[in-house]
Amino acid sequence: MTALAERPYGRAGGGSRRGPRSGSGFALLLPALVPVLVFSVGPLVYGILLAFTDARSGRNTETSFVGLENFAELLSDGDFWESFRIGMIWGLSVTVLQFLASLGLALLLNQDLRLRGVARVLAVVPWAMPPVVVGLMWRLVYHPDAGLLNGLFGSDVDWLHDFSLALPAVIVVGVWTGMPQTTVVLLAGLQNVPRELYEAVSVDGAGPWRRFWNVTLPQLRPVIVAITSLDFVWNINQFSLVYVLTQGGPGGRTRLPMLFAYEEAFRYGFFGYAATLGVAITIVVLVVLGLYLWRQAREGD
């Protein structure tokens, strides 16, 4: 009777068919998780806890738990609601205009153009510029005496200090700044649309508009939902760009919620109240995004 062959991976020899334990995989992730916990999760939790206190600036100040008093005060604060209104106008306007302009640019860059690669690189330049640099550059463009815009139109309008023009002027800068990232994402989505779909509708005699409406737009739907959601979150939390341009002026006409929170914390020293505003804006953004994604999911079904 022939003896059974010995297993090539015996238990005694230390060899094992099993892969690495899950604990070792977690240990490999620790170097990446620690900075996230320290610089993202930690401040987030601290800010939420701070919203329920009366923390103020200054030496020898005592901080006590006040429960929902800050939230009650926020609901009756007219300055907050004005800032919230301006923030929603800013966030929605920039997001919608940014998407429309980026979609047009992505469709253009998706064509077989000469120097298409160079054009794609140039389209990303505003994205690579720091917001402070962008703000300083556009302040020169809007300058009432030596600005490029007044030079083109032969006018002397003070764009950033006019009560009726300041917010639209800042919205234009926001659209210009955020267009590249949206364009790149939409262009990637366009390049993933199967060419067979365009060929199929072309056989049926579909023109450019029908091809766009029946093929391009439905295929881009998941990409559009994702990038517009992210753009809205980024825009509603904008601070540095608007601060460099107007610092919330004139007369609070461009004071976004994050600028209002900054003033409450670092100008007046009400850290607890400023944290409450941040928590409230986060809740509002989550609710608006939830309703938007729910509606898009229903329409997709």
Side-chain angles (χ1 to χ4, degrees):
M1 192 171 179
T2 307
L4 293 176
E6 185 180 354
R7 290 188 179 184
Y9 300 100
R11 294 180 181 271
S16 175
R17 292 177 180 269
R18 284 186 268 180
R21 296 181 179 179
S22 58
S24 61
F26 179 76
L28 293 175
L29 291 175
L30 276 180
L33 290 177
V34 169
V36 173
L37 293 174
V38 172
F39 296 109
S40 296
V41 179
L44 175 63
V45 174
Y46 179 72
I48 294 174
L49 296 177
L50 200 65
F52 297 93
T53 68
D54 60 353
R56 298 186 180 186
S57 63
R59 295 183 178 180
N60 301 323
T61 56
E62 295 183 358
T63 300
S64 58
F65 179 78
V66 296
L68 298 176
E69 289 184 11
N70 288 334
F71 291 91
E73 183 178 353
L74 194 68
L75 293 176
S76 60
D77 190 343
D79 291 336
F80 162 72
W81 287 111
E82 178 65 14
S83 175
F84 177 75
R85 183 186 70 84
I86 294 172
M88 292 302 294
I89 293 175
W90 155 271
L92 293 174
S93 300
V94 173
T95 301
V96 172
L97 295 175
Q98 194 171 286
F99 165 71
L100 294 176
S102 300
L103 181 60
L105 184 57
L107 290 171
L108 180 63
L109 294 177
N110 196 43
Q111 304 300 317
D112 293 328
L113 304 174
R114 293 183 61 185
L115 302 177
R116 182 174 60 177
V118 177
R120 290 178 178 179
V121 172
L122 293 177
V124 185
V125 169
W127 192 15
M129 299 174 64
V132 174
V133 176
V134 173
L136 293 174
M137 183 185 70
W138 277 91
R139 283 186 65 176
L140 295 176
V141 173
Y142 285 135
H143 196 278
D145 299 323
L148 177 63
L149 200 58
N150 282 338
L152 290 175
F153 292 105
S155 60
D156 57 352
V157 179
D158 196 350
W159 299 91
L160 297 178
H161 293 89
D162 188 284
F163 279 75
S164 59
L165 296 177
L167 184 58
V170 172
I171 288 175
V172 170
V173 182
V175 173
W176 183 85
T177 306
M179 271 183 57
Q181 60 195 20
T182 308
T183 301
V184 169
V185 174
L186 293 176
L187 181 59
L190 287 172
Q191 292 178 342
N192 286 324
V193 177
R195 295 298 171 188
E196 295 79 6
L197 297 178
Y198 292 113
E199 295 173 0
V201 296
S202 297
V203 171
D204 296 336
W209 174 251
R210 186 179 169 189
R211 289 199 300 268
F212 171 77
W213 190 257
N214 292 333
V215 177
T216 305
L217 208 57
Q219 291 293 315
L220 283 180
R221 187 185 187 89
V223 178
I224 292 173
V225 171
I227 192 59
T228 52
S229 301
L230 292 174
D231 283 342
F232 178 73
V233 173
W234 291 330
N235 291 327
I236 201 69
N237 288 304
Q238 181 60 253
F239 170 79
S240 55
L241 179 65
V242 181
Y243 183 80
V244 173
L245 285 169
T246 63
Q247 295 187 0
R253 291 298 192 276
T254 60
R255 185 168 61 178
L256 305 182
M258 292 301 103
L259 271 75
F260 181 72
Y262 168 81
E263 291 180 353
E264 291 294 326
F266 298 104
R267 178 174 294 181
Y268 306 116
F270 300 127
F271 293 121
Y273 190 65
T276 303
L277 191 146
V279 172
I281 292 299
T282 301
I283 294 173
V284 170
V285 169
L286 291 177
V287 170
V288 172
L289 278 181
L291 292 175
Y292 172 69
L293 295 175
W294 173 74
R295 180 177 179 182
Q296 293 297 322
R298 286 194 59 185
E299 290 181 357
D301 293 338

